[in-house]
Amino acid sequence: MGKYVFGVDVGGTTVKLGLFDAEGNVKDKWEIPTRTEEKGSHIMADIAGSIMVKMKQEGLEKEDIIGVGMGVPGPVKADGTVLKAANLGWGVFNPNEELSELLGVPVKTGNDANVAALGEMWKGGGQGYRDMVAVTLGTGVGGGVILGGHMVCGSNGAGGEIGHIHLEDNEEDQCGCKNRGCLEQYASATGIVRLANKKLAVTSRDSILRQGEVSAKSIWDAVKAEDELAMEVAEMYGEYLGKGLAAVADVVNPEVFVIGGGVSKAGRVVIDYMEPYFKKYVFHGGANAKFALAKLGNDAGIFGAVKLILDEVM
Amino acid sequence: MGKYVFGVDVGGTTVKLGLFDAEGNVKDKWEIPTRTEEKGSHIMADIAGSIMVKMKQEGLEKEDIIGVGMGVPGPVKADGTVLKAANLGWGVFNPNEELSELLGVPVKTGNDANVAALGEMWKGGGQGYRDMVAVTLGTGVGGGVILGGHMVCGSNGAGGEIGHIHLEDNEEDQCGCKNRGCLEQYASATGIVRLANKKLAVTSRDSILRQGEVSAKSIWDAVKAEDELAMEVAEMYGEYLGKGLAAVADVVNPEVFVIGGGVSKAGRVVIDYMEPYFKKYVFHGGANAKFALAKLGNDAGIFGAVKLILDEVM
């Protein structure tokens, strides 16, 4: 049995790679560009090439490598079949087979949000838990459900798509998914800006938020400065997020929610505004869920990828 | 290894028992009363006694018995610990240990709704599926989530409590759980009657429903007779149920929903009114979920209990 593992996180513009030992210690981290031309057909070869170069540099043979774990941006079934990855140009495709053939080592692929959740459970904000939901409050709202220590892929690779839980009947704007009233339309970075701008438009009240461009960061900074209007926006934000996570808890009853993504950089204050609403709307049996901040940032994907292949082969 | 299995479904008034072979064929079925006096402390002994009598009648020795599976009405953790079963008078308690000691065979306990879901997957409407959500539309709305063929208990035994997903901010009445606006307040048998009575109260329009007492059955009968008011009630019912199940699919993305309970006796019409709303509100990745009617009725619990212990020991 080998001693080293590669973790790969395929994004729309760059591929992050990491070389780890089997205990999850990072030996090296680097990035290569994602070549999306020609329907993304070069991506696997580029990754294989980059891994082979690294192996040569480090004096590693195939026998030293336990395997390669990988996260990709799209729905992935439990057997590693990617159903579609629009950002990469991929249709239905099993990257496990292609990359494994190129490298001669086992490969295991999962959805990037689910894989990142696994990373947070293993080495981040969810350490010590086995039933966990990771929530990424970024440009969109992503989710990764982990039960009994394993990712919930869903029958069609759409497990953990919690950003698209319907919350609001009276929504005129369309979500990226074409529905109206999804959690993501309120709880993402763009969502909170939308809530703030709507509030600013219907009142002439003074607010720090009128002094510059409104962003997720400027809103939470204003909340911390006790700006009244910003605090009202945070309250609305907290109610939408709390209501959405309550629905998640009613289905899978996790021990902990791990909150990450750009919006969560504001820190614990995001949880403080959300948690009372979570407790208001959740079934009492799930009300004792804990909330923690994610710890791994952009590295959650490569950590989770390593855990994914370790769980598979060891 | 033995050849026979007992399935036990503990209810608030009766305990159902079944003797099965390991392939799930029923050899015998019977019931005993549930003695809830003295905090339900006699229930395990009554069950053990009834099983021992049956073994004697059938000439079975301890060595012939693979084990006993059991469903109980309350939150049950993955290790079989019951956190509370108000209808039985139980507090925190592990029935596996007590019953196993009395009988000298392995015992495995789960929440009754989750266990019934397992039964429907094994021998009922969910046969052939591994990722399934069972929905029981009865006095309340229960749920059982099965992923990869196994029950999702939740960290606190509250997995699958889908009847308490919050759907309606403008609800004045309280749910049994003390919240307001739960799926159960609309989609249960009492929920649909409530919807119909509210509708009848605000209009003087004619309807078959004015001719007698309104019940879930009379409403669906009126729908089948194309009573306009009843069809509008069914439409509202379908929207609430579809919206709730869409949230479930956004979290766990099942292959199939299996619909059971009293309301589902009306048949496929319930699914027909719900499915368009499910498709409207669900994330597109989960939109191809199938809907099937439950097949085992009140026997789902004993079938699932048998499957639970077979999965554990075989």
Side-chain angles (χ1 to χ4, degrees):
Chain A
M1 180 59 92
K3 297 190 204 75
Y4 295 95
V5 192
F6 287 95
V8 182
D9 186 11
V10 185
T13 51
T14 57
V15 180
K16 285 181 211 297
L17 299 103
L19 172 61
F20 293 74
D21 66 22
E23 284 70 47
N25 299 304
V26 187
K27 296 290 157 196
D28 200 0
K29 284 197 304 184
W30 70 102
E31 294 184 3
I32 60 172
T34 308
R35 280 204 288 155
T36 54
E37 59 259 37
E38 293 169 62
K39 296 186 177 170
S41 57
H42 303 294
I43 296 173
M44 285 300 112
D46 288 352
I47 290 170
S50 183
I51 287 177
M52 285 190 281
V53 166
K54 185 64 61 181
M55 285 169 65
K56 195 155 190 191
Q57 285 171 357
E58 301 284 335
L60 298 173
E61 300 296 324
K62 208 167 72 178
E63 293 69 35
D64 299 318
I65 307 303
I66 298 169
V68 178
M70 187 159 59
V72 303
V76 183
K77 295 175 73 167
D79 69 357
T81 307
V82 179
L83 295 178
K84 193 181 179 171
N87 293 343
L88 308 180
W90 292 354
V92 178
F93 163 59
N94 194 320
N96 293 354
E97 292 167 8
E98 185 172 337
L99 193 57
S100 178
E101 200 163 298
L102 289 167
L103 290 170
V105 302
V107 176
K108 175 95 179 171
T109 303
N111 166 267
D112 56 358
N114 292 345
V115 167
L118 205 57
E120 286 290 344
M121 181 193 76
W122 192 35
K123 297 287 178 181
Q127 270 187 78
Y129 297 101
R130 305 274 296 164
D131 294 323
M132 172 196 129
V133 176
V135 183
T136 307
L137 306 170
T139 315
V141 171
V145 180
I146 309 279
L147 297 176
H150 299 286
M151 299 185 325
V152 171
C153 299
S155 64
N156 205 24
E161 286 288 357
I162 66 171
H164 301 286
I165 293 176
H166 176 83
L167 288 185
E168 180 62 79
D169 289 342
N170 305 310
E171 177 58 60
E172 291 172 0
D173 295 340
Q174 212 172 38
C175 180
C177 78
K178 312 280 190 222
N179 282 354
R180 286 185 166 78
C182 296
L183 172 60
E184 174 164 309
Q185 289 184 275
Y186 314 98
S188 63
T190 43
I192 192 169
V193 169
R194 218 171 56 101
L195 289 175
N197 283 333
K198 282 197 172 181
K199 187 126 195 140
L200 288 165
V202 296
T203 172
S204 57
R205 282 162 54 204
D206 199 24
S207 165
I208 302 174
L209 296 178
R210 296 195 191 277
Q211 292 168 11
E213 202 179 336
V214 177
S215 67
K217 181 174 187 319
S218 77
I219 296 165
W220 289 109
D221 285 346
V223 169
K224 289 173 190 171
E226 300 192 358
D227 181 271
E228 253 190 47
L229 193 141
M231 289 164 75
E232 288 169 25
V233 171
E235 205 72 35
M236 290 165 65
Y237 181 89
E239 178 152 17
Y240 280 117
L241 184 57
K243 205 184 276 182
L245 299 188
V248 175
D250 291 338
V251 181
V252 292
N253 180 210
E255 288 172 276
V256 67
F257 286 92
V258 176
I259 314 288
V263 180
S264 76
K265 286 186 185 156
R268 195 81 206 176
V269 64
V270 178
I271 295 172
D272 293 341
Y273 272 91
M274 176 274 299
E275 200 168 358
Y277 290 103
F278 172 82
K279 287 196 187 298
K280 174 178 174 185
Y281 291 112
V282 76
F283 179 66
H284 51 75
N288 64 349
K290 294 174 189 69
F291 293 90
L293 290 168
K295 285 184 181 167
L296 302 178
N298 291 332
D299 287 344
I302 53 174
F303 275 95
V306 168
K307 180 66 173 152
L308 184 65
I309 185 70
L310 287 175
D311 284 347
E312 179 76 5
V313 299
M314 295 186 90
Chain B
M1 181 58 91
K3 295 189 205 76
Y4 295 95
V5 192
F6 287 94
V8 182
D9 185 12
V10 185
T13 51
T14 56
V15 180
K16 285 180 209 299
L17 298 103
L19 172 61
F20 293 73
D21 67 22
E23 284 71 47
N25 300 302
V26 187
K27 297 289 156 197
D28 200 0
K29 283 197 305 184
W30 69 102
E31 293 184 3
I32 60 173
T34 307
R35 279 204 287 156
T36 54
E37 58 259 37
E38 293 169 63
K39 297 187 177 170
S41 58
H42 304 294
I43 296 174
M44 285 299 111
D46 288 352
I47 291 170
S50 183
I51 286 177
M52 286 189 280
V53 167
K54 185 63 61 179
M55 284 169 65
K56 195 157 190 188
Q57 285 171 356
E58 301 284 335
L60 298 173
E61 300 296 326
K62 208 168 70 177
E63 293 68 36
D64 299 318
I65 307 302
I66 298 169
V68 178
M70 187 159 59
V72 303
V76 183
K77 294 174 74 166
D79 69 357
T81 307
V82 178
L83 295 177
K84 191 180 181 173
N87 293 343
L88 308 181
W90 292 354
V92 178
F93 163 59
N94 194 322
N96 294 354
E97 292 166 9
E98 185 171 338
L99 193 57
S100 178
E101 198 163 300
L102 289 167
L103 289 170
V105 301
V107 177
K108 174 96 181 171
T109 303
N111 166 268
D112 55 358
N114 293 344
V115 167
L118 205 57
E120 287 290 343
M121 182 193 75
W122 192 34
K123 297 286 178 184
Q127 269 187 77
Y129 298 101
R130 305 274 295 165
D131 293 323
M132 171 194 129
V133 176
V135 183
T136 306
L137 306 169
T139 315
V141 171
V145 179
I146 309 279
L147 296 177
H150 299 286
M151 299 186 324
V152 171
C153 299
S155 65
N156 206 24
E161 285 288 358
I162 66 172
H164 301 286
I165 293 176
H166 176 83
L167 289 186
E168 181 62 79
D169 289 342
N170 305 310
E171 177 58 59
E172 290 172 0
D173 295 342
Q174 211 172 38
C175 180
C177 79
K178 311 280 191 225
N179 281 354
R180 287 183 165 79
C182 296
L183 172 61
E184 172 164 311
Q185 288 184 276
Y186 314 97
S188 63
T190 43
I192 193 169
V193 169
R194 219 172 56 102
L195 289 175
N197 282 334
K198 282 197 172 181
K199 186 125 197 142
L200 289 164
V202 295
T203 171
S204 57
R205 282 162 54 203
D206 199 26
S207 165
I208 302 174
L209 296 178
R210 295 195 191 277
Q211 293 168 10
E213 202 178 336
V214 177
S215 67
K217 183 175 185 319
S218 77
I219 296 165
W220 289 110
D221 284 347
V223 169
K224 289 173 189 169
E226 300 193 357
D227 182 271
E228 253 189 48
L229 194 140
M231 288 162 76
E232 289 169 24
V233 171
E235 204 72 35
M236 290 165 65
Y237 181 89
E239 178 151 17
Y240 280 116
L241 183 57
K243 205 183 279 183
L245 298 188
V248 175
D250 291 337
V251 182
V252 293
N253 181 211
E255 288 172 274
V256 67
F257 286 92
V258 176
I259 314 288
V263 180
S264 75
K265 286 187 185 156
R268 193 80 206 176
V269 65
V270 179
I271 294 173
D272 293 340
Y273 272 92
M274 175 274 300
E275 200 168 357
Y277 290 104
F278 173 81
K279 287 196 187 299
K280 175 178 174 183
Y281 290 113
V282 75
F283 179 66
H284 50 76
N288 64 350
K290 294 174 188 69
F291 293 91
L293 291 167
K295 286 183 179 166
L296 301 177
N298 290 333
D299 287 345
I302 53 173
F303 276 95
V306 168
K307 179 67 173 151
L308 185 65
I309 185 71
L310 286 176
D311 284 347
E312 179 76 4
V313 300
M314 294 186 91

